[in-house]
Structures are given as C-alpha cells and as structure tokens.
Amino acid sequence: MSESGFHYRNGIFHADAVDLNDVAQEYGTPSYVYSAGMIRDNIARLRTALGPDVLIAYACKANTNRAVLSIMASEGLGADVVSGGELRRAIAAGIPAEKIVFSGVGKTDGELRLAFDHDIAQINIESAAELERIVALNPARPVRVGFRLNPDVEANTHAKISTGHGESKFGMPSAEIRQLYKEIARYPMIRPTGISTHIGSQLTELEAYRDAFHALAALAGEVEVESLDFGGGLGIVYTDEQPVDVAGYAQLVHDILTPLGKKLTTEPGRYLVGNAGVLLARVIDMKKTPGKPILILDAGMNDLMRPAMYDAIHVMNPVTMNQNNDIICDVAGPVCESSDIFLRGWTMAEPARGDVMALMNAGAYGFSMAGTYNSRPLPAEILVDGDRHAVIRTRQDMDDIVKGETVPGWLG
Ligand code: LLP
C-alpha cells in the first residue's frame, strides 16, 4: 500500500508513491505537483462530517485545473464559480449545471446570460443593481437567484481575505434583502430560491461561522426560500495554526441550519486542495550578504503570490534530505521586487545549487493566481495519483507569453 500525500521515504520527499526529484527531472521546475489521493481524502473527511445532504460546491477559484475539476466531478461535487470562465471550465469538466452556483460581485451581462443558458442551480446576487440587470436581460426561462447576505461579522483572518464585515464590498444587509425579496415578486421569470453568505477565507475558529449561520437562519425565517448556501472559508494548517475543528463546524451546521429544513450548500475551496499541492523549485544560487544568506529559487512571486500578497507562509521541504549544518537564510524568488520573498529567517540544512525544494500547501490559490510578470512563463502542473503521474498543464513557453501582442503598422 502506498501512502497518499507528501512524505519522506528514505530521505527523499515523495508525492504519493512518486519521487519528487524524478518529477523535477522529468517535467522541470518550477512546477506545481498535486496529490489526487489527498484531494479525495479531503473531500471524504468533509463529506463524512457534513453528511450526505449538504451539497459540496467546490470553489473553483482555488484551483481551476481541468484535471482537478474532473476529480471533483467524479466525486459528485458541485461547483461555486465566480466568472464565465470558471462556469465554462466546471461544465467542461463534467460538473452538472444543477450543482453549480454563481457568486461574485461583478457578473457581466454576458456572464449572466451564460448562466441562464446553462440553467445553473442558482445565481447568488450581490445587489439591487444586479437584480435590475437580470430583469433587463429578460431571461427566457425562470432564473433561480440567491441573495448574498453580508452578516456583518468579523472573521479572524487576514484583512485581504475577510468578506463578511459591514464595510466589505460583498453581499447585502438583511434589511435590503427583505426589501428586494418583496420587489422580486413582480418578476415572474425571477425565482428567489436561496440565501447565501461567505464571510472570509482561511478561517480556523468557529465563532464567526456561528454568528453568520445565526444571521442566515434569522433571515430564512423572514423570507421564504428553499436553499441556504453557507459559503466556504475553512482554513488549513500552513504553520502553527490550530487545525480547524471540522466536526465542530458540522455540528454548527446541524444545530443551526439543518433544522430549517432547507437544501444546504457549502462552497469550500482551500480545504479541498490547499494541502494537496506543492510548488517544486530548484535552488539557483545561495547569495552571501552582509546579513543573512539568501537562497534564491527558480520560482517567484509570479508563480506563488500568496507570501507577497497576504504575508502567507508556505514552509519549505528539501526534496533530498542532507546532513549538512543548519543555516539561517531568507528564501527568495528571482522576480525584481523586494516583496518576492517566500520565507524570512528560515533554518535548514545547507542546500546546494540545483537542489529541489518543495514549497508546501500550495494547492489552493497557487497556480490559479499565478501570472507572467517579468515575462516568466506560467509553471507546469503535474498530477500524481498513487504511482502514476502526468502533466495536467504544460509549462508555457515564450510564444505563449507573447501570443496576441502586435506592433501597429505605423511603428514600422
Ligand atoms: N465562496 C465564495 C463566495 C468565495 O468568495 C470564496 C473565496 C470561497 C467560496 C472559497 O473560499 P475558501 O474555502 O477557499 O476559503 N486568494 C486568497 C483567498 C481568496 C478567497 C476568495 N474567495 C488566498 O490565497 O488566501
């Protein structure tokens, strides 16, 4: 039996049964590597806790690779999408339209029409203005809409990924939803089927969920809907966080939401894929400085933006363990930005040029947020499943990067 996930075997870091040095050798670096087994384990854990009656609509934005989406489809999951592009990807991967919800604060008319055409489960609307546009688009068949509630709760997470407080751009206060609900009765083609909420991401404490669920339940007592979508946000362990109490989370759902007798949907992203991916990078150089040495990797902030953007910490494991003395270094990428630093004051056995490193917990919001800044091609993505491995997205080359650029004739 092979172990699923990331672990050392005889001093070599593996994904499932696959040696990550071999992966780096065969596919190059930087590359994202995902463990299919871990994704399935994450789904199973959450599903066991929540029970079969809660629809798990995977928040695609965390990792939109088609192979990853097809795992979600074959596990029977739905999807939470936030753009026409994500909607198309979810459908193409085989996720049934009746399990797709569409969230997001700025859906264009074209994206709304696409959602009408696919007759998806629900469009979670964010404002009276958005409702007005849906009405004006004159859908040919009834459209199911959910109202996104802003429950005005403070989630204890990084300010840039907190969404449920009163000042955030997301959702509407309950008073506004009650008003809109009355108005909607005038439009036969709009069916107010649900209420949704999402208070933030990387949540590891249950307090804010409790408050949000109570707000959802209170509103559900005032407007008649069939379904409640309680958002995503379950956190994972990056460093020394307390692992989120999934059983406690499920208990809150069962205590506060289940008794209301509605269809329930949750939208987890990170929890399903975050710990199931690493970013493999090679050491380009060890730069000596008057201060700490700087370990320079061939992966940069364009490949994994989370440290630069949210001060996130992705711990690093050498793929080959060595017996060298420990050093304390900063770990940086090659991008010409001071914020292109993965780790500060990192202690590790001194590596050599060319060694392969794995930046951990990079399966969510890693590749999906990557860009080509500094004209750096997007990295490859590899899926490991037991002892099998395959490229699920080839590394970009320079032609991909400049594709679509043209020089106007008058410039000669
Ligand atoms: N539902 C909605 C409406 C959302 O906006 C999000 C995430 C989710 C579900 C899924 O949240 P999750 O379960 O993954 O926490 N780029 C940031 C995270 C941004 C989250 C945006 N919305 C990061 O790398 O930490």
Side-chain angles (χ1 to χ4, degrees):
M1 267 292 287
S2 61
E3 246 176 291
S4 100
F6 299 96
H7 53 268
Y8 283 98
R9 187 187 288 179
N10 303 326
I12 306 288
F13 207 44
H14 284 65
D16 294 6
V18 177
D19 177 331
L20 287 171
N21 275 322
D22 294 344
V23 172
Q25 188 62 39
E26 183 165 349
Y27 305 108
T29 52
S31 289
Y32 278 94
V33 183
Y34 311 123
S35 156
M38 269 186 103
I39 296 175
R40 294 191 197 101
D41 289 350
N42 292 337
I43 296 170
R45 199 177 323 106
L46 188 59
R47 188 174 261 159
T48 305
L50 288 172
D53 294 335
V54 177
L55 173 67
I56 301 179
Y58 167 61
C60 298
K61 64 172 84 67
N63 187 325
T64 25
N65 185 285
R66 185 164 179 172
V68 171
L69 293 180
S70 84
I71 295 176
M72 305 304 178
S74 63
E75 293 289 318
L77 266 53
D80 165 54
V81 302
V82 292
S83 69
E86 285 189 359
L87 175 54
R88 286 197 165 90
R89 279 176 182 270
I91 298 271
I95 296 178
E98 69 262 22
K99 290 187 183 173
I100 299 180
V101 295
F102 194 166
S103 307
V105 75
K107 308 173 199 78
T108 64
D109 289 359
E111 289 174 319
L112 289 168
R113 276 200 208 93
L114 187 69
F116 301 166
D117 291 348
H118 285 286
D119 197 17
I120 64 167
Q122 187 166 292
I123 301 177
N124 290 333
I125 63 168
E126 291 261 359
S127 63
E130 188 175 21
L131 177 62
E132 250 171 54
R133 276 192 305 120
I134 293 181
V135 171
L137 289 171
N138 202 11
R141 59 180 162 212
V143 173
R144 287 172 293 275
V145 302
F147 301 95
R148 176 155 173 186
L149 170 68
N150 180 328
D152 197 11
V153 301
E154 265 322 319
N156 183 14
T157 186
H158 192 281
K160 286 186 183 164
I161 53 177
S162 168
T163 50
H165 54 86
E167 308 275 280
S168 117
K169 71 172 179 175
F170 297 102
M172 296 172 273
S174 53
E176 187 176 344
I177 294 179
R178 287 195 298 270
Q179 182 56 33
L180 269 190
Y181 185 86
K182 280 187 215 145
E183 289 168 22
I184 228 169
R186 287 188 282 156
Y187 308 111
M189 284 308 180
I190 317 287
R191 289 187 44 214
T193 45
I195 313 171
S196 72
T197 193
H198 171 78
I199 54 174
S201 197
Q202 183 53 18
L203 308 184
T204 53
E205 294 163 9
L206 298 181
E207 289 312 307
Y209 278 120
R210 175 175 300 127
D211 296 347
F213 292 179
H214 279 303
L216 207 53
L219 185 56
E222 299 177 78
V223 298
E224 203 171 309
V225 290
E226 302 156 17
S227 68
L228 299 176
D229 173 346
F230 51 95
L234 281 179
I236 62 169
V237 176
Y238 286 97
T239 54
D240 53 6
E241 298 91 341
Q242 276 296 328
V244 67
D245 171 11
V246 179
Y249 172 76
Q251 196 61 48
L252 286 180
V253 174
H254 295 317
D255 291 348
I256 305 171
L257 301 177
T258 307
L260 305 172
K262 316 276 184 202
K263 248 175 41 192
L264 297 179
T265 302
T266 181
E267 306 168 350
R270 186 189 323 259
Y271 187 79
L272 301 184
V273 292
N275 65 356
V278 301
L279 176 58
L280 280 191
R282 267 187 207 278
V283 174
I284 294 183
D285 267 319
M286 177 68 84
K287 174 173 172 173
K288 303 266 188 270
T289 78
K292 285 188 292 277
I294 304 175
L295 182 73
I296 303 173
L297 301 178
D298 65 359
M301 63 186 282
N302 68 297
D303 304 302
L304 178 60
M305 202 191 282
R306 302 192 69 260
M309 191 146 173
Y310 314 114
D311 304 311
I313 297 178
H314 289 264
V315 299
M316 188 172 81
N317 285 326
V319 171
T320 305
M321 277 180 170
N322 71 40
Q323 304 302 320
N324 298 344
N325 291 335
D326 277 356
I327 56 158
I328 298 178
C329 60
D330 286 350
V331 179
V335 171
C336 295
E337 292 275 343
S338 302
S339 54
D340 187 23
I341 298 278
F342 289 115
L343 294 159
R344 290 185 194 277
W346 188 247
T347 303
M348 66 185 302
E350 181 164 16
R353 188 181 278 158
D355 281 1
V356 182
M357 300 288 152
L359 290 160
M360 303 301 295
N361 302 305
Y365 307 108
F367 187 93
S368 64
M369 292 178 71
T372 58
Y373 184 41
N374 281 199
S375 289
R376 292 170 49 81
L378 288 172
E381 292 176 286
I382 318 297
L383 186 74
V384 171
D385 197 352
D387 56 4
R388 290 175 293 190
H389 51 92
V391 182
I392 55 173
R393 183 177 165 115
T394 53
R395 181 180 311 288
Q396 278 193 331
D397 60 20
M398 266 322 286
D399 289 343
D400 297 321
I401 288 199
V402 298
K403 181 166 177 262
E405 287 182 20
T406 47
V407 180
W410 72 82
L411 291 179

